[in-house]
Amino acid sequence: MRMAPHLAAQGGSLTASQARAVEYLLPSAPAGVAEARSLVRAELARWGLTHLTDDCLIIVSELVTNVVRHGGSAYTLRLEERAGRLYGEVFDPGDGVPFQRSPGVDALSGRGLQIVAALADEWGVTPSDNGKLVWFAVSQPG
């Protein structure tokens, strides 16, 4: 179900006002989590942002796992780099809005959004009539 990436800026070098972006439509299936990680790894390498890879892989894994567990349908993964920041979005048409929980010490799940909050500079949820968008931003050091 993976679609070709949509590129916001193509060819040549980017100026400060330009952005690079890709967007993928992925299946809400356990295999989609690994595919999302692979796409993130490849795009960050292509953009020369490998220093952000580890944190972004964990963030995307947590967000996509939530879609697979609770969203029940295909979802969109979007990455954009502009002005020294990497933005990521996961949109799914599922009901409900994710929120940080405080699981007990013996709980086997429920910490995903705490992990996202710890690794991302910012993150949030934007509900809409046809689903929700969970987004994050990570600044490049320097």
Side-chain angles (χ1 to χ4, degrees):
M1 179 177 258
R2 182 174 118 185
M3 296 176 63
H6 165 73
L7 299 174
Q10 299 179 2
S13 61
L14 296 174
T15 66
S17 63
Q18 291 178 309
R20 294 183 276 208
V22 293
E23 187 172 284
Y24 295 96
L25 179 63
L26 298 165
S28 181
V33 178
E35 185 172 5
R37 283 194 301 261
S38 178
L39 294 169
V40 168
R41 184 179 290 110
E43 290 303 329
L44 294 182
R46 188 176 356 267
W47 295 349
L49 301 175
T50 55
H51 56 285
L52 299 178
T53 300
D54 292 341
D55 287 350
C56 288
L57 288 176
I58 293 169
I59 292 168
V60 167
S61 291
E62 294 297 336
L63 298 182
V64 169
T65 297
N66 281 347
V67 172
V68 170
R69 284 188 172 170
H70 308 290
S73 127
Y75 62 93
T76 303
L77 169 64
R78 184 173 193 283
L79 299 172
E80 180 178 334
E81 184 272 327
R82 68 179 138 86
R85 294 192 95 180
L86 180 73
Y87 297 89
E89 300 174 347
V90 176
F91 175 83
D92 78 88
D95 292 333
V97 176
F99 61 93
Q100 277 189 9
R101 297 190 297 173
S102 298
V105 294
D106 294 333
L108 299 177
S109 65
R111 294 177 185 82
L113 292 178
Q114 290 178 349
I115 294 168
V116 170
L119 295 175
D121 295 327
E122 298 177 73
W123 78 278
V125 180
T126 305
S128 72
D129 290 338
N130 57 352
K132 64 193 155 296
L133 179 76
V134 183
W135 59 271
F136 67 92
V138 178
S139 297
Q140 298 180 43

